[in-house]
Amino acid sequence: MSDDLIHWEKLGLAVPYEVSRFWAKGAVIPRNAQGDAVKIGGHYLMYLSEGCGGTTHVGRSADMVNWTFEPHEYLDLGPLGGSLHEVACAIVDDGAGTGGDSGKLVLDFFYGDADGQFSAAQALYDVNQPFTQKAMHRGGSLAWGGLLKFGGTWMFAQGWDAPSGSREMYLYRADPS
């Protein structure tokens, strides 16, 4: 924890060895359009997608410090083929609870397609059923830093697609059309 992003206080272990098996990567916590972590079903959730002995896990926490984990299948790549590399971000829309809609949760992820090519995709969930995939869309942002809404438009910064040998980063925004 830090109030100034310079001085930090260690709060405790996030993912124990029994879950990580010394390696866990691609841990994302659902956030809203402003970047704030949101509770789903009364808890904060953490989707672990890479490591953990090859089994996806989900963590739950009431306070964002103390976590419990369980193996949980939350992503079916059947429609795309291939295998999951890591979840890049998880976004809960601002419309949760409006107009009879319970809100949407989108997992943006990186995977190897059926031909072994690196690819991006997004999975859609109802926020009240955060492990039951409703739809899958090829193509995603791979916004490991997260997607944020600025001026009413979804935006993210990314450098993974910079030209080889470059250290550039690009800013992207949703197509206004």
Side-chain angles (χ1 to χ4, degrees):
M1 183 168 76
S2 175
D3 292 329
D4 60 9
L5 300 180
I6 295 172
H7 303 92
W8 292 85
E9 176 187 352
K10 185 176 182 177
L11 297 177
L13 182 64
V15 182
Y17 167 76
E18 295 77 27
V19 173
S20 72
R21 300 188 189 161
F22 284 137
W23 188 62
K25 183 180 168 196
V28 298
I29 296 168
R31 297 184 288 175
N32 64 18
Q34 293 74 41
D36 299 320
V38 295
K39 286 186 175 182
I40 297 174
H43 290 92
Y44 294 104
L45 300 179
M46 182 188 301
Y47 293 87
L48 295 177
S49 57
E50 194 174 17
C52 303
T55 302
T56 56
H57 282 70
V58 172
R60 295 178 196 277
S61 175
D63 60 7
M64 294 277 289
V65 176
N66 301 291
W67 292 88
T68 58
F69 293 89
E70 63 185 6
H72 208 305
E73 292 291 327
Y74 57 81
L75 190 59
D76 176 12
L77 292 180
L80 301 175
S83 60
L84 178 64
H85 289 304
E86 77 184 282
V87 175
C89 65
I91 301 297
V92 173
D93 77 347
D94 287 336
T98 62
D101 183 10
S102 61
K104 296 175 183 119
L105 168 67
V106 175
L107 292 182
D108 191 66
F109 61 93
F110 182 54
Y111 74 105
D113 68 15
D115 296 324
Q117 299 296 312
F118 294 131
S119 300
Q122 293 180 335
L124 174 66
Y125 302 79
D126 179 298
V127 77
N128 291 324
Q129 296 180 351
F131 312 118
T132 304
Q133 186 175 307
K134 292 174 61 171
M136 180 79 65
H137 173 73
R138 233 182 256 276
S141 70
L142 296 184
W144 281 279
L147 292 159
L148 296 173
K149 220 172 209 183
F150 180 75
T153 302
W154 285 100
M155 302 181 81
F156 68 95
Q158 188 59 264
W160 73 271
D161 57 349
S164 182
S166 167
R167 294 182 181 250
E168 297 172 337
M169 184 169 282
Y170 299 93
L171 186 62
Y172 293 87
R173 70 174 178 194
D175 184 354
S177 59

